[in-house]
Amino acid sequence: MLAAHRAGLIVALLPQLWRQAELTAALNRTGARAIVTTSKIDGVIHADIAMNAAAEAFSIRHVCGFGEDLPEGMVSLDQAIKNASTTERTVVQDGRKAALISFDVTADGLRAVPRTHLNLIAGGLAVFLESRVPQGSRLMSAFAPSSFAGVTSSLLLWLLSGGTLALHHPFDGEALERQINDYGCDALVAPAPMALRLTDADIGARLPSLRHVIGLWRMPEQVASSAQWTAEQARFTDVYLFGEAGLFAARRSADGTPVPIMPGPHGAPRDVPGTSIAGETLLTPKGTLALRGPMVTVAAYAPPPPPDSLIAPSPPDYADTGYSARLDRSTGAICITAPPSGIVAVGGYRFLSQDLQEWAKRLGQGALLTALPDRLCGYRLAGRAQDNARGREALNQLGLNPLMAEAFRDRTIVG
């Protein structure tokens, strides 16, 4: 990503779970010119997925990959690094130009959300200043950098602190603890429900170097009812994520409880008067939470014009997140009550709930595919078919990702 920005290119983030159907839609939406991937991830041959998607995206001119056994026609970046390219080009850096594109799902379908370098820096500063991560920190990130939040909480946090960045993938408690100690990390970024589990252990003895924990909430409606942070050696910062629309951070109080989120502009740090405005929260007439500020790309979330109107109404100056919210009568704080209607979120993967029914129809009579509420991931998928193996194969042929196919995994009860 740094190399692409150095060359004046725009980076579009493609989540690792995406398969051919979603990749093709995203590539065609952005008019991408090149794909960069790896040969395999966790046993999945991503090089073949990229080549198949490129065949359906007419704008693609280059497919590049890291690793061995790349398919014919793919450029090996390992060889390019080894051979030390002599190509030079002059690029005029402009922070106002598009730098990053991420993809979101709203009730209107897939949206491409572009951001400039300035938007990215604003998002990074909101997390960096609120969490009080010191200069020169050793940062461990266990949040995949495949979204705006993932990039700001890893790449931008590292660049702003001028320290050291270590990436952890996939999430494994014992491996994460070992890495933090091996690298002497004093700051940790992780999905909030997993980060809060650290209070179950004596982190003072097991993670002596840790001083800052940043928990990212893909389900921000769960922050108010979350467990108290009881570790005294490290301070905890909640980061509220609203898909790709934007985010805001709030450092917990000294007793480890979440602080109230008030409507209106908020600075970074939010408890220091006179700080620069990091963003603004407000309620829409529909009773949903909206965001605006230096990191929010309002135009990407503008509602479509009415089909029967000759003159389109003026779009709002905020991005509607779709999350239901209300004001607390006693404190005036914002209470986020429910996720967007009609959207299913399994961890960081979002899709329309109506798509489940469409996919289930292709599985034959008697097949069922549904999403069940889950405290950790938001939702989890469950499927039932006369032949689970055939159900998995049918979803794979549709170009859907493993989350969908594994809804039909064999469940063996051992008693």
Coordinates of all heavy atoms in Angstrom, one line a residue, residues 37-41 44-53 63-66 68-71 74:
T37 N -2.1 -9.8 -5.4 CA -2.5 -10.8 -4.5 C -1.4 -11.7 -4.1 O -0.2 -11.4 -4.4 CB -3.7 -11.6 -5.1 OG1 -4.2 -12.6 -4.2 CG2 -3.2 -12.4 -6.4
T38 N -1.6 -12.8 -3.4 CA -0.6 -13.8 -3.1 C -1.1 -15.1 -3.7 O -2.2 -15.3 -4.0 CB -0.5 -13.9 -1.6 OG1 -1.7 -14.3 -1.0 CG2 0.0 -12.6 -0.9
S39 N -0.1 -16.0 -3.7 CA -0.4 -17.3 -4.3 C -1.5 -18.1 -3.5 O -2.5 -18.6 -4.0 CB 0.8 -18.2 -4.5 OG 1.5 -18.3 -3.2
K40 N -1.2 -18.2 -2.2 CA -2.1 -18.9 -1.3 C -2.3 -18.2 0.1 O -1.3 -17.5 0.5 CB -1.6 -20.3 -1.0 CG -1.7 -21.3 -2.2 CD -1.2 -22.6 -1.8 CE -1.2 -23.6 -3.0 NZ -0.8 -25.0 -2.6
I41 N -3.4 -18.3 0.7 CA -3.7 -17.8 2.1 C -4.5 -18.9 2.7 O -5.6 -19.2 2.3 CB -4.4 -16.5 2.1 CG1 -3.6 -15.4 1.3 CG2 -4.6 -16.0 3.6 CD1 -4.4 -14.1 1.3
V44 N -6.0 -21.6 0.6 CA -6.9 -21.2 -0.5 C -6.0 -20.5 -1.6 O -5.2 -19.7 -1.3 CB -7.9 -20.2 -0.1 CG1 -8.8 -19.7 -1.2 CG2 -8.8 -20.8 1.0
I45 N -6.2 -21.0 -2.9 CA -5.4 -20.5 -4.0 C -5.9 -19.2 -4.5 O -6.8 -19.1 -5.3 CB -5.3 -21.5 -5.1 CG1 -4.8 -22.9 -4.6 CG2 -4.4 -21.0 -6.2 CD1 -4.8 -24.0 -5.6
H46 N -5.5 -18.1 -3.9 CA -6.0 -16.7 -4.2 C -5.5 -16.3 -5.6 O -6.1 -15.4 -6.2 CB -5.6 -15.7 -3.2 CG -6.5 -15.8 -1.9 ND1 -7.5 -14.8 -1.7 CD2 -6.5 -16.7 -0.9 CE1 -8.1 -15.1 -0.6 NE2 -7.5 -16.2 -0.1
A47 N -4.4 -16.8 -6.1 CA -3.9 -16.5 -7.4 C -4.9 -16.8 -8.5 O -5.2 -16.1 -9.4 CB -2.6 -17.1 -7.7
D48 N -5.5 -18.0 -8.4 CA -6.5 -18.5 -9.4 C -7.8 -17.6 -9.2 O -8.4 -17.3 -10.3 CB -6.9 -19.9 -9.1 CG -5.8 -20.9 -9.6 OD1 -4.8 -20.4 -10.3 OD2 -5.8 -22.1 -9.3
I49 N -8.2 -17.3 -8.0 CA -9.4 -16.4 -7.8 C -9.1 -15.1 -8.5 O -10.0 -14.6 -9.2 CB -9.6 -16.2 -6.3 CG1 -10.0 -17.6 -5.7 CG2 -10.8 -15.2 -6.1 CD1 -10.2 -17.5 -4.2
A50 N -8.0 -14.5 -8.3 CA -7.7 -13.2 -8.9 C -7.7 -13.3 -10.5 O -8.2 -12.4 -11.1 CB -6.3 -12.7 -8.4
M51 N -7.1 -14.3 -11.0 CA -7.1 -14.5 -12.5 C -8.5 -14.6 -13.0 O -8.8 -14.1 -14.1 CB -6.2 -15.7 -12.8 CG -4.7 -15.5 -12.6 SD -3.9 -14.2 -13.6 CE -3.9 -15.0 -15.2
N52 N -9.3 -15.4 -12.4 CA -10.7 -15.6 -12.8 C -11.5 -14.3 -12.8 O -12.3 -14.0 -13.7 CB -11.4 -16.7 -12.0 CG -10.8 -18.1 -12.3 OD1 -10.2 -18.3 -13.4 ND2 -10.9 -19.0 -11.3
A53 N -11.3 -13.6 -11.7 CA -12.0 -12.3 -11.6 C -11.5 -11.3 -12.6 O -12.3 -10.5 -13.2 CB -11.8 -11.7 -10.2
V63 N -2.1 -8.4 -13.5 CA -2.4 -9.2 -12.3 C -1.0 -9.6 -11.7 O -0.2 -10.3 -12.4 CB -3.2 -10.4 -12.7 CG1 -3.5 -11.2 -11.4 CG2 -4.5 -10.0 -13.4
C64 N -0.7 -9.2 -10.5 CA 0.6 -9.4 -9.9 C 0.4 -10.2 -8.6 O -0.7 -10.1 -7.9 CB 1.2 -8.0 -9.6 SG 1.2 -6.9 -10.9
G65 N 1.4 -11.0 -8.3 CA 1.3 -11.8 -7.1 C 2.6 -12.1 -6.4 O 3.7 -12.0 -7.0
F66 N 2.5 -12.3 -5.1 CA 3.7 -12.8 -4.3 C 3.5 -14.3 -4.1 O 2.4 -14.9 -4.1 CB 3.7 -12.1 -2.9 CG 3.9 -10.6 -3.0 CD1 2.9 -9.7 -3.0 CD2 5.2 -10.1 -3.0 CE1 3.1 -8.4 -3.0 CE2 5.5 -8.8 -3.1 CZ 4.4 -7.9 -3.1
E68 N 5.0 -18.6 -4.6 CA 5.4 -19.5 -5.6 C 4.2 -20.1 -6.4 O 3.0 -19.9 -6.0 CB 6.2 -20.7 -5.0 CG 7.5 -20.2 -4.3 CD 8.2 -21.3 -3.6 OE1 7.6 -22.4 -3.5 OE2 9.3 -21.0 -3.1
D69 N 4.5 -20.8 -7.5 CA 3.5 -21.5 -8.2 C 2.4 -20.6 -8.7 O 1.2 -20.9 -8.7 CB 2.8 -22.7 -7.4 CG 3.9 -23.7 -7.0 OD1 4.8 -23.9 -7.8 OD2 3.8 -24.3 -5.9
L70 N 2.7 -19.4 -9.2 CA 1.8 -18.5 -9.7 C 1.3 -19.0 -11.1 O 2.1 -19.5 -11.9 CB 2.4 -17.1 -9.9 CG 2.8 -16.4 -8.5 CD1 3.5 -15.1 -8.8 CD2 1.6 -16.2 -7.6
P71 N 0.0 -18.8 -11.4 CA -0.5 -19.2 -12.7 C 0.2 -18.4 -13.9 O 0.7 -17.3 -13.7 CB -2.0 -19.0 -12.6 CG -2.1 -17.9 -11.6 CD -1.0 -18.1 -10.6
M74 N 0.5 -14.3 -14.7 CA 0.6 -13.4 -13.5 C 2.0 -13.0 -13.3 O 2.9 -13.8 -13.4 CB 0.0 -14.1 -12.3 CG 0.1 -13.3 -11.0 SD -0.6 -14.2 -9.6 CE -2.4 -13.9 -10.0

